[in-house]
Amino acid sequence: MTNNKSQAPRHPLGRLLKYGNKYQRPIWLASTYSVLNKIFDLAPPALIGGAVDVVVKQKDSLIAQQLGITDIFGQLLFLTFLSFIIWGLESLFEYTYAKAWRNLAQKIQHDLRLDAYGHLQNLELAYFEERSTGNLMAILNDDINQLERFLDIGANEILQVSTTVVVIGGAFFLLAPTVAWMTMAPIPFIIWGAIWFQGLLMPRYAAVRDQASLLNAQLANNITGIVTIKSFTAEDYELRRMANQSEAYQQSNRYAIALSAAFIPLIRILILLGFTGILLYGGMEAVNGNLAVGTYSVLVFLTQRLLWPLTRLGQTLNEYQRAMASTNRVMNLLDTPITIHPGDQHLPVATVRGEVEFVDVTFAYNGRAPVVEGLCLHIPAGKTIGVVGATGSGKSTLVKLLLRLYEVQSGKITLDGIPLQEIQLQDLRRAIGLVSQDVFLFHGTVADNIAYGTFDVTMESVVEAAKIAEAHDFIVELPQGYDTIVGERGQKLSGGQRQRVAIARAVLKNPPILVLDEATSAVDNETEAAISRSLERITQHRTTIAIAHRLSTIRHADSIYVMDRGKLVEFGTHEQLIAKSGIYAQLWNLQTGIKGASV
């Protein structure tokens, strides 16, 4: 599954409109309400002109001639009644357009955020490793919120200004074609100026969004690493780094503000030319009898109503450029191709035997030397194997390849004889339970974290899984037991407690394949003993791959594989490897403190 970036419109507005095709009906409704509101909003100057016409011409007014109402009070009463209708309709459509645009903005914001997050979840792990969490957070939150703010207000502003130009321009040429050009003349220059400003502002607001991402990334990084900052008394250093990032963001905004702030003053000059032209020339035409006084009044009011709203183009343009910069970033995320094929073959978990085979597998991280090279490894169904080796030998990479977090570059991996690429991705990952050294717990209760991924289980099943993982005793001693909130990343629990919760989670999942990635390397001896006892129970009758730093945890494995620089260099049982006096024996001697050991 991939997205064809070449077919997507390159301009951010085109990309947004393409995405918004499914919202055509609410967009048309909201636009109609905006146009009708502006039409009724522009009617009062005509009422004022009618009232002036009644006062000046009295029984010879336009109302008397067209409607036959000769009584002056009756004419004014008719205008009063008409005012109530027009003001009422203007208020009605102001309510409907405000409600329609805001609901539409919220709907698009909601859908776009879910689409972007859903797409993000399907990207390969390399995408996340090459980008900061803060940058991705800025796209999913700040950028989408910026777009929502523009849809909430800016779209309506553009429509209403356009309606103003069309309606008033038409009225001018209908009422006084000889003087209409004076008011309309500045408009092409204003529009040209707006387009010119757009071109200048676009790169400046793109720079603002980039700086905002860097600032978010720094904040997210520092909050996550607050313990390290405190332990190294680096608060002042980090405050200076944050000040530098914030200053860069502020400076990028200054460049954009310096340009956008100049828009309205320049527009005012053009408005002044149009207004004074109709004031002077139109006034003389009225004095000379070439233009009715009521018509002149309407023209003066309409000139102000036509040209003055154009000053709001500055603010609207400002919001538009911010929204387009944000749109580009969101659409770039949505256009990122998904390189991992989801697989076509359904493989129910209940049918998985758990035989895994790596056949001549080679893999390298982007721009680096191969981490795994020409690896062949057969793991029989229902057996427990251990994988050991020095740091960087490629042990954990095997787990990532097995879960298809990365794709092999050559060779293949099979499950029960089926290549992993052919198995539906969700089926593959449902068949594998992972307990890693770096346990991630979500902010929520202990019970929620044990049941994570197996969401429809009973509380009795959660408790039973905790007992098997030897986690039940410490859980019931927590302030609220299984309902205790563990905090972000499980920070309210110790490392050993988090590890046992992760094992309980794997027990509840009950996968045919269990992967233990350094599951006991960061805990004390007592906790290791408890974890080892629970692992002895849960590894029975299932395929188990135990990647270990502490060799004592895998000495009873059916077979142990030793990796060095991405290749298998030794394999056998614990006793066989000790007898070979190779790398494994050296590591064993080093860890058990046997004299004369060397590495």
Side-chain angles (χ1 to χ4, degrees):
M1 177 180 176
T2 59
N3 292 330
N4 192 340
K5 294 177 70 173
S6 63
Q7 293 180 356
R10 292 298 92 204
H11 192 278
L13 182 59
R15 301 171 83 178
L16 180 60
L17 291 174
K18 182 179 180 181
Y19 178 82
N21 277 339
K22 55 186 173 182
Y23 307 101
Q24 286 189 5
R25 186 174 184 276
I27 288 174
W28 276 108
L29 279 175
S31 301
T32 301
Y33 297 149
S34 292
V35 171
L36 289 173
N37 167 259
K38 180 50 63 176
I39 289 173
F40 287 111
D41 177 58
L42 295 172
L47 297 175
I48 294 171
V52 171
D53 190 55
V54 170
V55 171
V56 173
K57 295 185 177 179
Q58 299 185 9
K59 293 184 179 181
D60 295 325
S61 69
L62 185 64
I63 292 177
Q65 293 176 9
Q66 297 295 325
L67 301 179
I69 305 174
T70 57
D71 179 66
I72 296 174
F73 179 76
Q75 294 181 49
L76 294 174
L77 189 63
F78 171 76
L79 289 173
T80 302
F81 176 72
L82 196 58
S83 297
F84 273 102
I85 294 176
I86 289 172
W87 252 271
L89 289 172
E90 179 195 353
S91 300
L92 172 64
F93 286 116
E94 183 168 4
Y95 168 77
T96 53
Y97 88 64
K99 181 180 177 183
W101 280 116
R102 289 176 185 176
N103 284 335
L104 177 63
Q106 290 297 319
K107 176 64 175 171
I108 292 177
Q109 173 191 236
H110 172 76
D111 291 348
L112 188 57
R113 180 173 284 118
L114 290 184
D115 287 346
Y117 176 72
H119 186 80
L120 187 68
Q121 285 192 132
N122 290 324
L123 295 175
E124 70 281 5
L125 198 59
Y127 181 86
F128 297 89
E129 294 178 345
E130 293 169 1
R131 289 160 181 82
S132 70
T133 302
N135 178 47
L136 297 176
M137 289 290 292
I139 294 173
L140 294 175
N141 276 329
D142 296 348
D143 288 322
I144 291 177
N145 288 343
Q146 183 67 51
L147 179 58
E148 181 263 337
R149 284 191 289 272
F150 171 71
L151 292 172
D152 196 1
I153 299 172
N156 172 69
E157 287 285 345
I158 292 174
L159 277 171
Q160 294 212 330
V161 167
S162 301
T163 302
T164 300
V165 171
V166 172
V167 171
I168 293 181
F172 265 50
F173 283 104
L174 181 65
L175 295 173
T178 57
V179 297
W181 65 271
M182 290 187 176
T183 300
M184 303 302 292
I187 292 179
F189 295 97
I190 294 172
I191 294 174
W192 174 82
I195 295 172
W196 182 65
F197 263 73
Q198 279 188 34
L200 294 179
L201 280 170
M202 185 176 292
R204 298 197 181 196
Y205 277 122
V208 168
R209 296 313 310 153
D210 289 341
Q211 287 297 331
S213 292
L214 293 174
L215 182 60
N216 270 320
Q218 186 70 49
L219 284 167
N221 190 60
N222 284 19
I223 291 171
T224 303
I226 193 66
V227 173
T228 303
I229 292 172
K230 287 180 176 295
S231 65
F232 283 89
T233 61
E235 290 91 344
D236 291 341
Y237 170 75
E238 291 299 340
L239 185 60
R240 288 194 299 272
R241 287 217 300 169
M242 188 58 61
N244 290 336
Q245 289 285 7
S246 186
E247 175 60 31
Y249 174 65
Q250 185 180 13
Q251 187 60 44
S252 64
N253 266 298
R254 284 197 195 105
Y255 292 142
I257 291 169
L259 187 61
S260 63
F263 184 78
I264 291 179
L266 293 175
I267 295 301
R268 285 176 186 269
I269 301 300
L270 295 173
I271 290 173
L272 176 64
L273 295 176
F275 183 75
T276 53
I278 198 69
L279 190 69
L280 289 172
Y281 185 77
M284 292 306 300
E285 287 289 284
V287 169
N288 294 331
N290 297 326
L291 191 64
V293 174
T295 302
Y296 173 64
S297 301
V298 172
L299 292 179
V300 171
F301 279 111
L302 286 180
T303 299
Q304 190 269 342
R305 297 299 299 275
L306 169 64
L307 297 178
W308 194 251
L310 294 177
T311 59
R312 292 204 303 270
L313 276 178
Q315 181 62 32
T316 304
L317 181 64
N318 190 41
E319 292 298 325
Y320 171 79
Q321 286 300 346
R322 286 180 181 270
M324 291 304 101
S326 294
T327 298
N328 251 342
R329 288 161 50 82
V330 177
M331 294 303 166
N332 285 342
L333 169 58
L334 284 171
D335 288 345
T336 302
I338 298 171
T339 57
I340 293 183
H341 189 276
D344 302 315
Q345 185 167 338
H346 180 49
L347 185 64
V349 173
T351 66
V352 175
R353 293 184 295 106
E355 181 185 10
V356 176
E357 187 168 9
F358 290 72
V359 181
D360 199 24
V361 170
T362 296
F363 172 79
Y365 293 103
N366 190 26
R368 295 163 60 181
V371 181
V372 176
E373 189 172 5
L375 184 137
C376 294
L377 172 62
H378 180 252
I379 305 169
K383 299 295 184 180
T384 295
I385 71 147
V387 181
V388 301
T391 300
S393 60
K395 304 186 301 297
S396 294
T397 300
L398 298 184
V399 178
K400 296 175 182 177
L401 295 175
L402 180 60
L403 285 164
R404 287 192 66 206
L405 300 175
Y406 290 94
E407 295 283 36
V408 299
Q409 273 131 17
S410 66
K412 66 177 179 177
I413 306 174
T414 64
L415 172 58
D416 293 345
I418 307 169
L420 297 191
Q421 284 82 359
E422 297 179 9
I423 302 171
Q424 290 183 9
L425 200 55
Q426 287 195 334
D427 286 349
L428 170 66
R429 292 174 180 169
R430 286 193 186 107
I432 301 171
L434 173 65
V435 181
S436 65
Q437 174 186 355
D438 185 20
V439 175
F440 189 96
L441 299 184
F442 293 89
H443 183 74
T445 67
V446 174
D448 290 339
N449 275 281
I450 292 176
Y452 190 81
T454 319
F455 302 107
D456 56 351
V457 294
T458 63
M459 190 62 197
E460 289 75 13
S461 299
V462 170
V463 173
E464 181 60 29
K467 288 179 178 178
I468 294 173
E470 297 205 12
H472 177 73
D473 290 344
F474 88 78
I475 293 174
V476 295
E477 293 177 359
L478 295 173
Q480 285 81 41
Y482 282 86
D483 292 326
T484 301
I485 300 295
V486 301
E488 188 175 5
R489 298 181 65 89
Q491 60 188 356
K492 293 184 179 180
L493 302 180
S494 70
Q497 289 172 335
R498 289 196 296 270
Q499 199 69 262
R500 280 182 272 184
V501 169
I503 292 172
R505 182 192 291 169
V507 170
L508 196 60
K509 185 178 183 180
N510 193 28
I513 301 171
L514 180 65
V515 178
L516 307 171
D517 188 4
E518 305 275 13
T520 63
S521 63
V523 298
D524 57 67
N525 291 332
E526 182 182 349
T527 303
E528 180 187 355
I531 291 174
S532 296
R533 287 194 301 271
S534 62
L535 290 179
E536 285 179 12
R537 298 176 63 185
I538 67 174
T539 56
Q540 294 178 8
H541 310 300
R542 75 178 82 237
T543 303
T544 303
I545 303 170
I547 295 171
H549 172 71
R550 296 183 181 180
L551 303 186
S552 58
T553 60
I554 49 94
R555 64 176 299 178
H556 299 299
D558 296 304
S559 187
I560 299 171
Y561 294 86
V562 182
M563 293 190 67
D564 183 44
R565 298 180 183 180
K567 297 182 178 180
L568 288 180
V569 292
E570 295 176 0
F571 68 92
T573 64
H574 171 75
E575 291 75 15
Q576 290 171 341
L577 291 172
I578 292 293
K580 288 182 179 179
S581 299
I583 294 176
Y584 182 87
Q586 293 176 14
L587 291 172
W588 177 261
N589 293 337
L590 184 64
Q591 290 187 15
T592 55
I594 297 177
K595 291 183 179 181
S598 61
V599 185

